[in-house]
Amino acid sequence: MPIKLPADLPAYDVLSHEGVMVMPEDAASHQDIRPLRIGLLNLMPKKIQTENQFARLIAATPLQIELSLIRMTEHLTKNTAAEHMEAFYRPFAEVAASGEKFDGLIITGAPIEHLPFEDVTYWDELTQVFDWTQTNVHATFGVCWGGMAMIHYFHGVPKHLLDHKAFGCIRHRNCAPASPYLRGFSDDMVIPVSRWTELRRPEIEAAGLSILIDSDQTGPCLVEDPDHRALYIFNHLEYDSDTLKQEYDRDVAGGTPINVPANYYPDDDPSKTPQNRWRSHAHLLYGNWLSEIYLTTPYDIAQIGLMQTDLRR
């Protein structure tokens, strides 16, 4: 089944050319099924790139998905055209005031790791988003800084600054093979990592949370929070093949000290074309998350928040 997107959203053409099934809104309205309503709270500067990455992953299931793009109300992006934001995004204040509900919400990362959470200009509104997910969203997926912010808000788990950037394609291990979120996963896998902070296993476990994917090099990657119907991933399975290259080239061009991303380029040679070794696990993870939503969300979307289903298995 396809993902439902506005026909003039850039992701529509990108995914169509890749062979991904997409459907314009007028065609979807004639199907006698309820699509899953998934929101994307996009905190990344490159909005269109991030839209494409997540739309690609959530479209690769047999379920019909309706994707809604959400932004922080007062924070204005400098990297995406105002016309694009006006055409495709709704401010969170408007979404919250409408009372509408979502089967799932993805909260992206943001390049503000160096700041204490409370110093982020939109932190107060973001905490309102977190509280809103408990009444208006069936399941939430916090990604990188978004996941760190959620686990900090709900459980007080701190992030710790690193003395060098965790950067590259890092080997991780599957700590919970029986988890429904890790169906089809290998015992170990390569996942892109790009961050200046880390969360630590003892502090996560002290909060009573389960670590599903871990790494000896870069620490916990995927954490389940069943009481808040949430997953937190601190790394970037959604990345395109060349995203780490873009980040590396940007820093080199800007004179920022940066290590070559580990295990990314063939022979660690930046002149060579990187190969994607994480794509299959990215599709598995987001497909499994959507499947769990489909199995547990109420058919009557208005019932979300009134009688929540625990996503634990």
Side-chain angles (χ1 to χ4, degrees):
M1 296 292 287
I3 182 172
K4 185 174 84 171
L5 296 173
D8 50 350
L9 183 73
Y12 187 97
D13 285 338
V14 172
L15 270 60
S16 295
H17 289 140
E18 293 178 2
V20 176
M21 294 180 67
V22 293
M23 175 181 289
E25 292 174 317
D26 57 345
S29 66
H30 293 91
Q31 290 194 320
D32 190 21
I33 58 175
R34 181 174 88 73
L36 291 181
R37 295 202 68 212
I38 304 297
L40 176 66
L41 179 61
N42 192 349
L43 306 177
M44 291 295 287
K46 295 183 177 181
K47 304 293 185 190
I48 295 175
Q49 181 185 58
T50 303
E51 295 158 17
N52 293 344
Q53 290 171 346
F54 284 104
R56 180 180 296 113
L57 292 175
I58 65 174
T61 77
L63 305 171
Q64 186 187 126
I65 307 294
E66 177 184 322
L67 181 64
S68 298
L69 301 177
I70 305 170
R71 64 172 174 85
M72 303 309 295
T73 304
E74 299 298 331
H75 183 74
L76 300 179
T77 181
K78 301 176 182 178
N79 301 87
T80 304
E83 293 80 7
H84 181 86
M85 300 302 296
E86 179 67 25
F88 300 113
Y89 280 81
R90 297 169 63 200
F92 171 70
E94 178 183 309
V95 174
S98 72
E100 62 194 271
K101 299 188 176 184
F102 292 83
D103 299 292
L105 177 71
I106 298 170
I107 301 176
T108 74
I112 47 177
E113 291 180 86
H114 61 290
L115 294 174
F117 291 115
E118 291 76 10
D119 289 351
V120 174
T121 57
Y122 51 79
W123 178 251
D124 287 345
E125 185 179 25
L126 190 59
T127 62
Q128 295 173 29
V129 174
F130 297 155
D131 289 335
W132 172 81
T133 65
Q134 301 307 289
T135 57
N136 287 66
V137 178
H138 183 63
T140 308
F141 207 147
V143 179
C144 200
W145 184 87
M148 294 181 182
M150 288 189 72
I151 199 172
H152 171 75
Y153 179 70
F154 285 130
H155 299 281
V157 176
K159 60 182 171 69
H160 302 273
L161 288 172
L162 298 169
D163 57 10
H164 65 282
K165 189 176 185 178
F167 194 39
C169 294
I170 308 301
R171 183 68 61 180
H172 288 70
R173 63 177 174 275
N174 181 345
C175 301
S179 168
Y181 300 110
L182 301 185
R183 291 191 190 101
F185 266 63
S186 306
D187 292 334
D188 70 352
M189 68 224 67
V190 167
I191 299 178
V193 179
S194 179
R195 49 182 164 81
W196 286 94
T197 54
E198 67 175 0
L199 275 73
R200 296 174 180 169
R201 170 181 280 274
E203 292 168 337
I204 292 173
E205 292 178 334
L209 303 177
S210 300
I211 298 172
L212 305 185
I213 298 177
D214 197 10
S215 168
D216 291 334
Q217 290 180 259
T218 54
C221 170
L222 181 67
V223 173
E224 182 180 6
D225 182 359
D227 289 344
H228 295 94
R229 303 178 311 285
L231 289 179
Y232 312 130
I233 187 168
F234 309 126
N235 301 328
H236 290 284
L237 275 172
E238 82 281 359
Y239 267 11
D240 296 323
S241 301
D242 64 348
T243 306
L244 290 178
K245 172 178 168 54
Q246 292 176 25
E247 295 180 5
Y248 176 71
D249 291 347
R250 175 201 64 202
D251 289 347
V252 169
T256 302
I258 186 64
N259 46 294
V260 175
N263 307 312
Y264 176 57
Y265 297 104
D267 304 318
D268 290 328
D269 181 352
S271 68
K272 297 183 177 180
T273 302
Q275 294 182 324
N276 191 310
R277 293 179 287 148
W278 60 90
R279 184 181 294 114
S280 59
H281 285 101
H283 283 282
L284 277 173
L285 179 60
Y286 284 88
N288 289 339
W289 179 65
L290 290 170
S291 294
E292 288 303 294
I293 292 175
Y294 176 75
L295 290 171
T296 58
T297 196
Y299 181 79
D300 180 0
I301 199 168
Q303 295 300 307
I304 289 176
L306 303 180
M307 187 180 295
Q308 286 289 10
T309 303
D310 192 333
L311 293 180
R312 284 174 286 192
R313 289 289 181 271

